[in-house]
Structure formats: structure tokens, C-alpha cells
Amino acid sequence: MVRWEAVIGLEVHARLLTRSKLFCACETAFGAAPNSKVCPVCLGYPGALPVPNRTAIDLAIRVALATGCTIHAESVFARKNYFYPDLPKGYQISQFDKPLATGGSLEIATRDGAREIGIIRIHVEEDAGKLIHDATGGATDDTSLVDLNRAGTPLIEIVSAPDLRSSEEAIAYLTRLRQIVMYCDACDGNMEEGSLRCDANVSVRRPGGELGTRTEVKNLNSFRFLGRAVDFEIERQIALLERGERVVQETRLFDPAEGVTRAMRSKEEAHDYRYFPEPDLPPLVIDVESISRIREGLPEMPGPRAARYRRDFALNVEDSETLVTSRELADYFERTIAAGASARAAANWVKNEVLGSCNQCKVELRDFRVTAEMLGETISMVESSEISGKAAKEVFEAMATNGGSPREIVERLGLAQLSDRDAIRAIARRVIAANAAQVEQFRSGRTGIFGFLVGQVMKESQGRANPEIANQILRECLDTEAR
Ligand code: ADP
Ligand code: MG
Ligand code: ZN
């Protein structure tokens, strides 16, 4: 019997792919010289007025539509007041009680089938600047530095319902959400650079009972850390409860070196922030036409796309999920099929050879020398028995290193499969003549020796004989020709 059930909800921040910041014209360039992308608006100078970035709002709407949220005709920016040295205005412009979108969901694939995870809300907000505490950034023992380039860059916060039940599910949810923001061209998904950051809310309870007290683990910047932090929190909370103690609602930090979470501060409440509507911005009004225009521009999302692969191509969950990892990869797979390959073979080649080769050579798919069209043609040559599977691998290697057309490579390397029955018969006769002892054994009933004789025919043809035809003709010769 399961004594405890984990309950997890994620808050994910995604940096939007805009050229300028959310409320000013400063560039959002990552890695620019510190404090070179700033202006009176994002520095919080008195009297400077914010102007919302249309593209940022459009990108937020894309993600909200892709996750089935309702876009509100009117949403309201609010000031979230707190002091920190990376926040020059003394408040962050965010959204509070009237967010851009609410009530969506996404589907994750689990061991027990698909599960729908609720999305409570998606709102738009600005990022804070960055504090530099380490020596490589120029800080010293008693001095930290502030870089405000990031202050005012646009984010969306995507808040899940407390629907996740394990670290595996939390990872599956974040994986799918990352794919979705990337499919939407809304975020580059780069967790190392902080384009996608995740806070995990964790509690445990008796199965089916009331929600327990939660803790919130901040700023998990990789899938591995998310998994480890959630597992640690679940174990820690269960141990507390089993000892008869209580979970304290608080904000915690994950320490990757030790693999533990540590209390950071007691949990702040909304009223601590003195939220109030941003007086310098009118309500954000979204008209129905823009919503339908944005909806029409959305590509097919990874979940439905993987489901389509399972349905139409009979692929399993693992393969279909691998192929939809990125839009580019899924497009490549479909173009391989369009170029003449069967779906099954295209799936195998793309997930093994193509991904393997890109990985090994450290090239992006878009720079890979073997285009989907070249791969599709190669596979179709195997499927029409023009070349063997082994020869196809050689063709693929040649294309990956030097490019070139598959047909031209088959010709140049003499890889065309031998299907000419007369030529194969001539080889079979030579093999029979040269292996009298084995032929004798075969004829006296040791039919197992047949494999050896076929092998000899293949060898004689330098591996080029069509194996099926070689089999057939050798049998004919052994059965019908003079002893
Ligand atoms: P806050 O903004 O103060 O962090 P919210 O109510 O907006 O609080 O919740 C934030 C996240 O916490 C959501 O993802 C939600 O699903 C999750 N959450 C709420 N209650 C629990 C709970 N008891 N256990 C785990 N997660 C929870
Ligand atoms: Mg929170
Ligand atoms: Zn600015």
C-alpha cells in the first residue's frame, strides 16, 4: 500500500524571444557588455514611462493558445513591490489578479498512458537585473556588482495546477512545456542561459486526502536538478511527517553539490508585495481578430504531432516522442517520408543514424550534410532492393562526410545490388563446384549447411547479391541440377 502521495506544481518562467525589452526599446542581447543595454525606463528613472512591446504580447498569446488557455479580452499589469539591488524601480511590473490567460492544460506521456496536467494561468512580466557575486565577473570578497541589461526583458510565467505526482511527471511536464514554447518560437528553451527557469512546489499527503503544506524550491535550471530537488523534498517531508513533525511552508534552495534543499526564507504572501494596478499602463486589451490571426499562425504542437505518428505510422511512444523533440527534427522526419521512405524505416534512420551522426560531429540538424531528401532517396533504394541495407549505411556515411547524391555514390562505389538472375546463377554454380563436400552433406539431409552455401554466394558477389534472390537460386540449383 502507498502511504504517501507526492503533489507537485511548477511555476515556469520563459524568456520571450523579442529584440527589445518589454516596456522600452533597449536591446535584449544576451552576453552584451554589462549595463550597456539600459535606458531611463528600465533603470527606473522618475518620470520615464513604459510602453508595452507588441511582439512580447503576441508571443505570450501564442503559448497561451498552444496550451489551450482562455485569453482574456482585458488583463491588467500590476506592481509587485519589493526591494532588491537588481530591481532599480523597487517594483516589478507583472500581472496579478487579472492575468493574460487562464485555464489551459497540456498532456504528458507516462508509463500508464497520457495524463492531462492543468495550467492555472499564464501572465506577462518583466525580468530583474543580475547580481554578480563571483570573482570571474569582477566581484570581490566585499563587493558585488549589478548588471541591469536583463532588467525589463520580457518573461511569461506559466503556473501549473498541483497535478503532478512524481519527479518523473514533473520532468515530463517541463519537457513538453519547453517543446511547446520552442514550437511557438516564443522562447529558445535554453536552460543553461536561464531562458527557461523553474520553481517546484512540493507537498505530500495521504493518497486522495487534502493537500498538504507545500514548500517551494526556487530556480531549478536543469531537468536533472528539478528531478533531484523534487525527490529530495518528497523524502524530507515524508520523514518529517513520519516522525510526527510538521512541514513548514517556506521557500527553499537546491544545492546541487550536496543534493539537498535548504530553507531560504519563510514563504512570502501576496499581500507582502502590496500589489496594485500599474498606474502608468492602461489595461491590456486583446481583440478577437488578433487572437484568431495568432491562432492561424501556430504550427502543429508536439503532443498532437506525436499522437498522429502513433496513429498514422504505428510508431511507439518512445519513437514518436523522440521525433517531435524539436520542430526541425519532426519536419526532417516527415520530409524523409515525402522523399520516398516508409515511415518505419524513416523513423529508425532519423533517430539512430541522423541523430547519432549529428551528435558525433557536433553539428546542428540544419547544418547536417545529409538532407531529408537525400536520406529519403537512400531509404527508397533499399526498399526497392536496388541496394542492401549495409550499402545504404555506406552511402549515408559518404553523404555525411562529403555530401553528394545517393545515386551517384552508389554508382561510384559500385554498391548497386545484384538482382540479375543469370549472374547470380553463375555464381551459385561456381560455389557448388568449389564446395563439393558441403553440397554432399546438404544433399544427405544436413540442410543446416545451406546457410553456409548462401554465405559463399554473398561473398563471391562481394556482398552485392540480392540475398532473397541468391537464396532462391541456390536452392533451385541444389535441388534440380545434376549431381
Ligand atoms: P504562489 O504564487 O504564492 O507561489 P500559487 O497559489 O500561485 O502560489 O501556487 C503556485 C504553485 O504552487 C502552483 O503551481 C500550484 O499548482 C502549486 N501548489 C499549490 N498548492 C500546492 C500544494 N499543496 N502542493 C504542491 N503544489 C502546490
Ligand atoms: Mg510561487
Ligand atoms: Zn531600457
Side-chain angles (χ1 to χ4, degrees), residues 21 23-27 37-43 151-152:
K21 294 188 181 180
F23 298 116
C24 62
C26 290
E27 249 181 89
K37 308 292 178 192
V38 291
C39 76
V41 174
C42 53
L43 289 177

Side-chain angles (χ1 to χ4, degrees), residues 7 9-11 120 159-162 201-203 211-212 214 216 267:
V7 175
L10 299 187
E11 293 167 84
I120 298 174
V159 182
S160 90
N201 295 270
V202 182
S203 65
L211 284 179
R214 71 180 147 130
E216 179 170 351
K267 173 93 182 96

Side-chain angles (χ1 to χ4, degrees), residues 197-462:
R197 314 196 285 268
C198 170
D199 305 337
N201 295 270
V202 182
S203 65
V204 297
R205 65 174 174 187
R206 295 294 184 190
E210 301 251 297
L211 284 179
T213 305
R214 71 180 147 130
T215 58
E216 179 170 351
V217 188
K218 283 282 182 194
N219 265 326
L220 298 162
N221 65 355
S222 77
F223 289 102
R224 212 157 51 88
F225 291 173
L226 168 63
R228 287 170 58 199
V230 166
D231 281 336
F232 179 86
E233 252 329 272
I234 295 171
E235 293 300 314
R236 189 185 68 85
Q237 292 184 16
I238 291 175
L240 278 176
L241 297 173
E242 300 221 313
R243 283 201 302 270
E245 295 174 37
R246 291 164 57 155
V247 173
V248 180
Q249 179 160 348
E250 64 192 358
T251 301
R252 299 178 70 88
L253 265 188
F254 179 63
D255 174 352
E258 303 282 323
V260 302
T261 65
R262 292 202 186 89
M264 182 164 94
R265 56 171 188 251
S266 66
K267 173 93 182 96
E268 66 290 339
E269 304 283 345
H271 65 250
D272 295 329
Y273 289 117
R274 301 285 189 274
Y275 277 102
F276 64 85
E278 167 60 64
D280 288 339
L281 288 167
L284 181 65
V285 175
I286 316 276
D287 57 281
V288 185
E289 290 75 41
S290 328
I291 296 177
S292 39
R293 173 180 52 80
I294 292 169
R295 195 192 298 277
E296 275 160 28
L298 284 179
E300 184 182 22
M301 287 299 139
R305 204 165 183 179
R308 179 164 62 82
Y309 292 173
R310 293 195 284 277
R311 192 179 62 238
D312 294 357
F313 303 144
L315 299 188
N316 62 24
V317 173
E318 200 187 320
D319 288 355
S320 57
E321 286 298 332
T322 303
L323 291 167
V324 301
T325 306
S326 73
R327 191 143 57 109
E328 255 181 339
L329 186 66
D331 288 347
Y332 186 103
F333 165 63
E334 291 184 27
R335 285 195 348 252
T336 303
I337 297 173
S342 71
R344 180 70 267 160
N348 285 334
W349 276 85
V350 170
K351 87 178 160 90
N352 299 319
E353 264 64 40
V354 175
L355 287 182
S357 199
C358 285
N359 243 332
Q360 202 181 349
C361 310
K362 306 213 177 338
V363 299
E364 295 291 324
L365 185 59
R366 75 176 75 88
D367 302 320
F368 188 48
R369 294 193 97 143
V370 186
T371 63
E373 288 66 32
M374 288 154 74
L375 178 62
E377 191 175 350
T378 307
I379 298 172
S380 82
M381 287 166 82
V382 178
E383 293 180 334
S384 59
S385 298
E386 288 171 72
I387 57 173
S388 67
K390 199 162 149 267
K393 298 266 153 82
E394 272 183 66
V395 174
F396 182 82
E397 289 306 323
M399 294 190 298
T401 23
N402 299 311
S405 98
R407 268 176 207 288
E408 182 261 327
I409 293 169
V410 165
E411 197 119 318
R412 180 155 49 80
L413 302 182
L415 294 171
Q417 187 153 279
L418 191 56
S419 298
D420 177 341
R421 305 182 72 87
D422 289 337
I424 295 178
R425 188 169 293 110
I427 296 174
R429 284 180 181 145
R430 282 209 299 282
V431 167
I432 288 172
N435 296 279
Q438 285 84 353
V439 169
E440 199 39 56
Q441 286 177 24
F442 176 79
R443 284 179 171 152
S444 63
R446 272 197 57 199
T447 48
I449 204 80
F450 185 71
F452 166 81
L453 293 167
V454 174
Q456 295 307 109
V457 173
M458 294 306 294
K459 200 166 148 199
E460 274 277 313
S461 73
Q462 273 135 8

